[in-house]
Amino acid sequence: MSLTRRRLSITGAIGIVAWALTLWPKRARAGDDALDFVERMTGRAATESTQLRLLMPTVFSTGYTVPMDIQVESPMTETDHVKSIRVFAPENPFVEVAQFHFSPRRCLARVSTRIRLAGPQHVVALAEMSDGRLLMAKSWVSVATNGCR
């Protein structure tokens, strides 16, 4: 079998397509992976919601002190309020980063703090509502240094 220009072009094209297919599913499944991760951690299905907002910088210089702001739109009444918010960083040595509990008469369901991240990853926030719903929001954060050494 001789190596012709046509055969070399076809082999190169197949190689490029195979390489692209190995990269594509990770980006396409990022949302599915987060939902699967939440179901494994809690045993319940969550729904992505705009009612829960997770605000983090997309790129941050250090993984030691990454700012995070979480807000949940809720009337915070006895019948409709946020019970708790949990934060997960799947690439950290300790996956559950934080948990916050709220009472019905609290005026706002909002938390601002800083967390440590081991590397670039999706950070997932879950809000458990008083009616049993699990709301989910995620944010991609790329950090330059590992904050979990």
Side-chain angles (χ1 to χ4, degrees):
M1 178 162 62
S2 66
L3 186 60
T4 63
R5 189 181 309 173
R6 176 177 287 173
R7 195 176 294 252
L8 185 61
S9 296
I10 291 171
T11 305
I14 291 172
I16 290 171
V17 169
W19 175 76
L21 287 176
T22 61
L23 296 177
W24 178 69
K26 283 185 177 179
R27 294 279 181 202
R29 293 182 322 182
D32 295 340
D33 289 345
L35 290 171
D36 292 341
F37 172 78
V38 167
E39 193 162 339
R40 277 183 300 176
M41 293 300 294
T42 63
R44 298 170 50 195
T47 57
E48 289 193 58
S49 173
T50 57
Q51 192 177 353
L52 169 63
R53 286 181 295 211
L54 172 63
L55 304 173
M56 298 185 75
T58 306
V59 177
F60 202 70
S61 59
T62 176
Y64 285 99
T65 58
V66 181
M68 175 181 72
D69 187 66
I70 303 172
Q71 300 173 15
V72 184
E73 291 179 27
S74 172
M76 296 302 286
T77 61
E78 288 287 335
T79 58
D80 186 9
H81 64 275
V82 179
K83 290 174 68 177
S84 66
I85 296 175
R86 297 169 73 183
V87 179
F88 298 99
E91 302 299 324
N92 279 8
F94 296 104
V95 174
E96 187 164 358
V97 176
Q99 186 169 12
F100 307 96
H101 296 277
F102 297 90
S103 62
R105 295 198 181 119
R106 183 181 167 99
C107 59
L108 293 173
R110 180 177 180 189
V111 175
S112 291
T113 187
R114 292 180 177 261
I115 62 171
R116 290 184 174 196
L117 294 177
Q121 59 186 296
H122 275 103
V123 175
V124 178
L126 282 180
E128 182 175 2
M129 306 300 287
S130 58
D131 60 2
R133 291 180 297 146
L134 268 183
L135 306 179
M136 183 185 85
K138 63 181 182 301
S139 179
W140 173 261
V141 181
S142 183
V143 293
T145 59
N146 183 349
C148 298
R149 292 185 190 177

